[in-house]
Structure formats: structure tokens, C-alpha cells
Amino acid sequence: MSVQVWTYILVALTFSLYIGIALATRVRDTRSFYIAGQGIPPLWNGMAIAADWMSAASFLSITGIIAFSGYDGSVYLMGWTGGYVLLALLIAPFLRRFGKFTVPDFVGDRYGSQALRALAALTAILISFVYVAGQMRGVGVVFSRFLNTDITTGVVIGVFLVFVYASLSGMKGITWTQVSQYIVLILAFIIPAAAISLQLSGNPIPQLGFLNIVGDLDNLQRELGFPAYTAQNKTNLDIFAITMALMVGTAGLPHVITRFYTTPTVQGARTSAIWAIVFISILYTTVPALAIFAKTNLIDSLENKPYASAPAWFKNWEKTSLVVFSDKNGDGLMQYRPGAAFLKTATGGNDFTKPDPANANELYIDNDILVLATPEVANLSPFLIALVAAGGLAAALSTASGLLITVSGAVAHDIYYKLVNPNASEGARLLAGRITVGVAAIAAGYFGINPPGFVAQVVALAFGLAAASFFPLLVLGIFDKRMNWQGAMAGLLLGLGFTLVYIINFTPSLGGTGAPADLFLGISTTGIGTVGMIINFVVAFAVSRLTPAPSAQVQELVESVRYPSGTLTEAQSH
């Protein structure tokens, strides 16, 4: 059977599975809708966390980033993995002991401020929408190639599916859907990687096989005028800032933190984090190997080859405009060189009608297609090619559903129920949550169709915002009894405000006009969340010491939360 037929079959089977789980786990109360009734065992919760975490950025885009940026791309793996260590040690068990539904719920009760609760809810919505744009973009990329649709149609299909199962079963159904999605995505990533490793290196273990060819790729890149694959091109300060922003941003992402509320016990939250690291490491230790295999195959199959006899996979991807050739010198051969193949538009995109005369490069290859295209480049079976497509959809949809529940919690629980209508019935609150999922899904679709960059680039912005906002807010709320709402709010506003303005100013697709030469200490937008975090910590600490201390009751509550051996009875009343 053809790739397209296999893709239809696997996508239909997996989508039917997701909908079936949603129908079987329909919920009728907010506790199940937002935190799965706190009945998810740690092993399965760890798998669900891994699926929630390994989004389109991890599955589709991170391999492309490492393939095209080499050593510098390793910051993503270090930052994202390290973030789970911080979660397990500093945040997850303490928030689970507090026993609330959402991060803004903790913030509002810990700091005793409804204004701060509202600000935290709005921040959660902002971060979630930036993050979900990348997931919907990933769905569109997969559909555009393998199901012969454009990206817009693919995004619309993805939005509809996520809305159905997220609104029906909430966090309870999403958890079990994410378990199934993890199994799909990890098989889709590992099996082709092993096959390509065996093909190129003679070793079926990708983590070992890549050692045999990384030197060849270094030499190949030098021959084409690129820096060595293993060379460092970013400054040490920028690498540190990006790694730190991704790490603390991970520990501050509201949709990830919410998953730790779903376990029966505090110990279960900690154990869930350990299992999540195990499941995530299976993919992350494979990514560098697949990146090297993919880049080597890509160069071998295209460099200096006649365009008239370009491989079938290249022609197929050309239809999506995610791979584009411009014969600048008119020799009919495809040359892959450093530099941009096409001129940039005013918003930072590519104008494929205008080749860039300043560069000899004739090929534009989108970062997000590498994982999807590599099985085709390596001439793997149609089944494995289709399996990768199903895995990419599973990765994007699993994270998107978690993000929509986070937005729903922030709007329907933290704003509607806690601030607007505290007397709302259980049914009204559940209806508000489902309506919010629908509205958020539509908004997510819009941002997926019009994203401010490729998948991992968009997602990285969300980490910067989380690093500058929630991480200091949560850490200080847990470990500093003297921290009050005045300090927390001042730190959040200045840290988040600085980071948001900086990102907008230096991101052309967001209307930014800042020149790269004007970057603060050379720190990129991906790493600026580290500076925002420092501003948040410093301002919050200073203001809290200049204003009245929290009440004795709040300080006693903070003291009890720091010993996560049980569950606070008072904190569990919603």
C-alpha cells in the first residue's frame, strides 16, 4: 500500500482510539474535569506527563533545530530535561500538598490576593496560547504533506478533534488519551530511528550508531562552507541564558504543573516526575542521533543533484512550500550552502518569489519537516513513513489538549468561579469550562495558522514567559514565608513585562523592529526569560521587605506546605 493509504489507516485508527477514550471517560464534575479526580497512578501519570511534554516541538522541530544548528541546538535538550529535575525537587510535591485545581488557584490562596489570582490566570492564558500555536502549526504541517491538505485545513481538523475529546472528558479522559498518544509517538520516533541507524552505521541502537558518522558530517559541512557540526557558534552567555530559561520555564509551565495535581498522594506527584523523566529520556537521547542521520541523508540526496531528477520525497514536500528550490545560477543543479535561499518578508517569513542574491544557497528546508521527511529520504517502508506522521499528530494533539484544559481552568475556574460568580453551581462551572475549551480551541487554531515562527521557536517563547513569571512566583511562594502579594505582583509585572516587550521588539513576525546588534548582552529572545526571572526575583524580594509581612496564618500555611508528607485538609476545599 502507498504512504497515503497507510497514513489514512493509522490516523483513522489513532483518532478513533482518542475519541473512544473520551466517550468512555466522560465527566460530570469539575474535580474530574480539571484534575482527573486525583486518581491517576504515578506510572501512568508519568507517561501522560511525557506525552503532554513531548509536543510538536519535541517530536517535529527539535530534531530539525539540532540538525541545522548542531552543537548550539543541544541547549534545548539540556534545558528541557533539567526542568523536570527542578519540578521534581522544588515545585511538584509542594503544590500537590496544597491540593488546588490550578496554578492561579495556589497563587490566589497563598498570597491572599484576588488581583494577583487574576493576573496569574491571565499569565497562564498568555503562555498557553503562545505554546498551543506551535502545536497547531505541527498538526497543519503533518496534514499538509501526508493527507494532501493545506496547513489551514489540517489545523481546523486538529482543532475539532482536540475540542471533542477535551470538552467531553476533561483532564480525566485527556490523561488516558495522552497515555495512548505517548505509546504511538514513542514507537513512531524510535522504530524509524533504529532502522536508519542500522542503515547508515550498522548499529540498530541510534544512541551508539551516530558516533560512527558524526565525524563524516563534520567534514561534509566544512566542504559545503558550513561551520563544523560540533562547533559552538553562540556565545557562552547566550547558551547559558537559553538553557536556564528553558529549564526554569519548564518548571513554571502551568499545563505541566497541573498534571501533578492528578495523583492520589504527594509522594505520587514526586514519583510521577521521576517516571516522566524516564519516559522523556527515551526520546531525548535519540534526538541527537536522528538529527545527524537526517542531516547526512539530506545532504547526500540533494547536494549538487539535478533538480530534474530530484527524488520523489522532494517533489512531494515542494507542494507544501516547506521545501523550495531556486536555481540562482541556472545550472539545473541543487546547491545547499550557508545563508538564506530567499529574501525575508517584513514579518520575518520567506518570500519564495525573490531569491536572495547575497547567498549561494538554493534550497529552503523548513525545520519542522525533518523528522517527517527523513523516513522518506532513507527509503523506509510506507508503513513506517505513515507511522511517523501518526506520531507527529499524537505529539501535537497531546500537548494541545493539556493546554486547552489549562486555559479552561484559568478562565472558568480562576476567573469565572473564584472572582465573578462564587455561587455558581457545579453544572454551571462545568459548562463554563467546556465553553472555554471551545473558544480556546478556535483561538488556538488561528494562532496555529498564523504562528510567529517555526514550531520549536514559537514554543521556546512560551518558556521564556513562564521563566520570567511563574517560576519565581511559585518558588518564592513555597520557600519564602515573608513573601507577600505586593512583592509577588511587582516582581511578576516587571519580570514578565520586560520579557514580553523584549520578545516583541526583537521578533519581526510580531511587529518588532529591534536589530540583532541591539540585543541585551547578545542574549537572544529564547534566552531573555532568564533576565526576566532575575528581575522578578530581585524586585519581589525587595518590595516584600519594604511592605507589611503576610498574616501569621499564611506564614503558618507556607511552613506546613514545605513538608510535603501529607495533604492539607484545608487546602483541599475548593
Side-chain angles (χ1 to χ4, degrees), residues 528-542:
I528 200 60
T530 298
V531 179
M533 174 195 69
I534 294 171
I535 292 173
N536 191 331
F537 270 121
V538 171
V539 171
F541 187 85

Side-chain angles (χ1 to χ4, degrees), residues 470-484:
F470 279 132
F471 182 75
L473 191 65
L474 296 176
V475 170
L476 291 172
I478 293 168
F479 294 102
D480 184 4
K481 293 191 298 182
R482 183 63 175 77
M483 183 56 54
N484 57 17

Side-chain angles (χ1 to χ4, degrees), residues 67 192-198 200-201 203 205-214 217 229 286-300 370 374 377-378:
I196 298 171
S197 179
L198 181 63
L200 292 181
S201 69
N203 191 324
I205 303 174
Q207 292 86 342
L208 299 177
F210 88 100
L211 297 174
N212 297 332
I213 65 169
V214 65
L217 182 56
Y229 186 78
T286 309
V287 164
L290 185 59
I292 290 174
F293 300 150
K295 187 71 174 288
T296 302
N297 269 342
L298 194 71
I299 293 175
D300 286 344
L370 208 60
T374 293
V377 179

Side-chain angles (χ1 to χ4, degrees), residues 461 498-514 525:
L461 300 182
F498 166 81
T499 304
L500 191 58
V501 169
Y502 190 94
I503 288 173
I504 292 173
N505 185 56
F506 289 102
T507 304
S509 58
L510 296 177
T513 58
T525 53

Side-chain angles (χ1 to χ4, degrees), residues 219-510:
N219 294 332
L220 190 58
Q221 292 216 154
R222 288 194 190 98
E223 290 174 8
L224 298 178
F226 291 93
Y229 186 78
T230 53
Q232 177 181 324
N233 299 301
K234 291 182 177 293
T235 65
N236 287 333
L237 179 60
D238 196 26
I239 285 179
F240 171 81
I242 294 172
T243 304
M244 180 61 70
L246 295 174
M247 185 180 297
V248 300
T250 297
L253 283 175
H255 78 284
V256 173
I257 294 172
T258 300
R259 286 238 53 96
F260 294 99
Y261 292 137
T262 64
T263 60
T265 65
V266 174
Q267 181 58 39
R270 194 186 297 274
T271 306
S272 293
I274 295 171
W275 277 116
I277 293 172
V278 172
F279 291 128
I280 290 168
S281 67
I282 296 173
L283 187 140
Y284 274 9
T285 57
T286 309
V287 164
L290 185 59
I292 290 174
F293 300 150
K295 187 71 174 288
T296 302
N297 269 342
L298 194 71
I299 293 175
D300 286 344
S301 64
L302 297 180
E303 167 55 23
N304 219 33
K305 299 293 193 300
Y307 175 71
S309 58
W313 71 264
F314 185 88
K315 297 292 186 179
N316 290 331
W317 278 104
E318 265 194 315
K319 298 172 186 175
T320 68
S321 295
L322 297 172
V323 170
V324 184
F325 168 65
S326 172
D327 192 5
K328 295 179 181 179
N329 57 17
D331 64 357
L333 302 178
M334 296 181 286
Q335 273 94 34
Y336 181 53
R337 299 289 184 272
F342 297 92
L343 293 173
K344 295 291 184 182
T345 64
T347 58
N350 292 283
D351 186 343
F352 295 124
T353 65
K354 297 178 181 178
D356 188 344
N359 299 297
N361 184 30
E362 297 179 337
L363 288 169
Y364 167 77
I365 302 169
D366 194 286
N367 277 37
D368 295 338
I369 74 159
L370 208 60
V371 167
L372 298 174
T374 293
E376 293 182 277
V377 179
N379 292 315
L380 298 186
S381 70
F383 172 78
L384 289 181
I385 295 171
L387 180 62
V388 172
L393 289 172
L397 294 173
S398 63
T399 302
S401 58
L403 289 164
L404 292 182
I405 289 296
T406 297
V407 173
S408 176
V411 174
H413 179 74
D414 294 307
I415 295 178
Y416 170 70
Y417 173 56
K418 290 291 186 176
L419 300 179
V420 177
N421 186 10
N423 298 317
S425 67
E426 184 80 4
R429 292 163 58 194
L430 189 58
L431 178 62
R434 285 174 166 151
I435 291 174
T436 305
V437 167
V439 174
I442 294 172
Y446 172 80
F447 289 115
I449 295 168
N450 303 283
F454 56 84
V455 173
Q457 185 182 46
V458 174
V459 168
L461 300 182
F463 285 89
L465 297 177
S469 57
F470 279 132
F471 182 75
L473 191 65
L474 296 176
V475 170
L476 291 172
I478 293 168
F479 294 102
D480 184 4
K481 293 191 298 182
R482 183 63 175 77
M483 183 56 54
N484 57 17
W485 71 265
Q486 294 95 329
M489 181 171 287
L492 177 61
L493 287 173
L494 290 178
L496 180 63
F498 166 81
T499 304
L500 191 58
V501 169
Y502 190 94
I503 288 173
I504 292 173
N505 185 56
F506 289 102
T507 304
S509 58
L510 296 177

Side-chain angles (χ1 to χ4, degrees), residues 129 132-133 136-137 152 155-156 159 439-452:
F129 272 130
V132 81
M136 291 296 103
R137 156 79 175 179
T152 299
V155 169
V156 171
V159 164
V439 174
I442 294 172
Y446 172 80
F447 289 115
I449 295 168
N450 303 283

Side-chain angles (χ1 to χ4, degrees), residues 1-10 13 380-386:
M1 288 189 287
S2 68
V3 171
Q4 189 165 6
V5 171
W6 271 118
T7 303
Y8 277 120
I9 291 173
L10 292 180
L13 288 175
L380 298 186
S381 70
F383 172 78
L384 289 181
I385 295 171

